[in-house]
Amino acid sequence: ENTIEAFAYNGSGMVESRRSSNAIKWEGATSKPNLYVLTLAINKYRDKSLWLNYCVPDANAIAESFKTQESGLYENVYVSSLQDGKVTKDGISEEFKRLSSLVTVDDVFVFYISGHGTTYDDGDYYYLPVNFRYTSKEEIPIQGISKNDLIENLSLIKAGKTLLLLDTCISGAFVAV
């Protein structure tokens, strides 16, 4: 049961109208939300000096863990995974566009990324895609996927609840002010 109350003030904000309230009780059926999980994980970068061992297995474990909630907390669980060679700036954008047409405001969205993360001189966070090649620090904002790129992609998702899991170095810079 919810109570809705309404009142108004005059133009000067000095006089308040009489308050009116109404109790509303929902008696309809409710449905469970769907869960959409998008994982990005890179073990094998183009540059072999950046190779990692556990990003892909961790992403798979995260996805499997959420998948067990199907028919439990969630009506359906949909998992999308981009791994190794598919984790490019364009590949990520395309997957977000695809998901944006599926996810509704009643759904829950989980975004998990694993791989290399870093910052640039401006302090902003960058996720390094599979085709990143380090030749100088100036390559980070050119080739990296910035926090703003990720936020722009996330803004396409209409889910009422979103959980971000950043399993990268320096991921705290993502939320730094």
Side-chain angles (χ1 to χ4, degrees):
E1 185 170 297
N2 292 294
T3 301
I4 297 175
E5 185 174 48
F7 58 94
Y9 286 99
N10 69 353
S12 65
M14 301 295 290
V15 179
E16 180 182 315
S17 71
R18 193 172 307 192
R19 292 176 180 246
S20 179
S21 65
N22 195 6
I24 298 173
K25 184 174 182 179
W26 173 257
E27 295 181 10
T30 59
S31 62
K32 295 178 184 177
N34 289 317
L35 172 64
Y36 289 85
V37 179
L38 173 58
T39 66
L40 310 178
I42 308 169
N43 278 351
K44 295 186 170 140
Y45 283 85
R46 180 176 74 180
D47 185 343
K48 286 187 178 187
S49 68
L50 296 174
W51 281 23
L52 298 165
N53 295 317
Y54 302 107
C55 297
V56 170
D58 287 353
N60 291 338
I62 290 281
E64 285 304 312
S65 177
F66 280 112
K67 193 76 173 141
T68 65
Q69 294 303 314
E70 189 165 69
S71 300
L73 288 174
Y74 304 100
E75 186 70 30
N76 299 293
V77 176
Y78 302 101
V79 175
S80 299
S81 296
L82 299 179
Q83 296 179 348
D84 288 332
K86 296 185 182 206
V87 185
T88 63
K89 194 179 275 194
D90 289 339
I92 294 167
S93 293
E94 288 303 313
E95 189 58 20
F96 270 100
K97 286 177 191 168
R98 186 185 76 78
L99 288 170
S100 73
S101 67
L102 302 172
V103 180
T104 71
V105 295
D106 296 322
D107 295 326
V108 177
F109 182 72
V110 174
F111 181 49
Y112 173 83
I113 64 173
S114 186
H116 285 292
T118 191
T119 56
Y120 186 61
D121 291 344
D122 58 7
D124 275 348
Y125 172 84
Y126 289 85
Y127 179 63
L128 303 184
V130 70
N131 53 349
F132 181 83
R133 174 137 321 184
Y134 187 87
T135 54
S136 70
K137 69 178 182 178
E138 285 73 27
E139 291 301 315
I140 294 169
I142 295 168
Q143 296 181 48
I145 299 168
S146 72
K147 171 177 73 172
N148 291 332
D149 293 334
L150 293 171
I151 290 170
E152 185 177 318
N153 282 320
L154 285 163
S155 72
L156 299 174
I157 304 300
K158 297 177 279 300
K161 296 178 183 173
T162 298
L163 173 65
L164 304 178
L165 300 168
L166 300 136
D167 186 7
T168 69
C169 291
I170 314 176
S171 59
F174 189 88
V175 294
V177 180

